[in-house]
Amino acid sequence: QVKVVESGGGSVQAGGSLRLSCAASGSGYGYCNYDISWHRQTPGKEPQFVSVIENDGSTSYADSVKGRFTISQDSAKTTVYLQMNNLKPEDTGMYHCKAFSAVDGCLGYWGQGTQVTVSS
C-alpha cells in the first residue's frame, strides 16, 4: 500500500507563486520505481494533466504551464515538488498527485489533493 499526500496549496493573486509538495511512501514504493504526475481538477471536470517526473528524472509539462511551472524531486525520490510561478486565474483548481508504475503488480495511487486558488 502506497500513501500519497499533497500539501502547499493556498490562495494567491495573479502573478504570485506557490510550491506544492507530494510525499509518497509505503510498502513497495521503492521496488515499483514510481513516476509521479500532477493533475488539476475543477468542479464537474476530469483531472487534467499538468506535469510528470519519471523515475529517471525526465520531465514533461502541459503546454499551458510550460515556462511557469517546474517539477522536481528530492534525492530520495520520496517527495516531488511543483514550483508554480506567474500564476494565472485559470490555474485555479484542486491539484492531485498520482503515483504510477509500469512494473507488474504495482498499482497506481492518487492523493486527496490540495486546493490552489488564483484571483485576478
Side-chain angles (χ1 to χ4, degrees), residues 63-112:
D63 288 343
S64 62
V65 306
K66 282 181 181 176
R68 300 188 297 121
F69 291 12
T70 303
I71 192 169
S72 62
Q73 63 185 0
D74 66 356
S75 57
K77 297 183 179 180
T78 58
T79 302
V80 169
Y81 304 99
L82 186 67
Q83 178 66 43
M84 306 188 297
N85 297 328
N86 190 21
L87 282 160
K88 302 177 180 181
E90 52 264 43
D91 295 321
T92 294
M94 183 69 77
Y95 281 71
H96 293 274
C97 190
K98 177 184 177 183
F100 60 100
S101 172
V103 175
D104 285 346
C106 293
L107 302 177
Y109 297 89
W110 286 89
Q112 291 297 308

Side-chain angles (χ1 to χ4, degrees), residues 8-11 18 20 41 43 91-95 113-118:
S11 297
L18 285 172
L20 306 184
Q41 187 172 28
D91 295 321
T92 294
M94 183 69 77
Y95 281 71
T114 185
Q115 178 68 34
V116 172
T117 303
V118 185

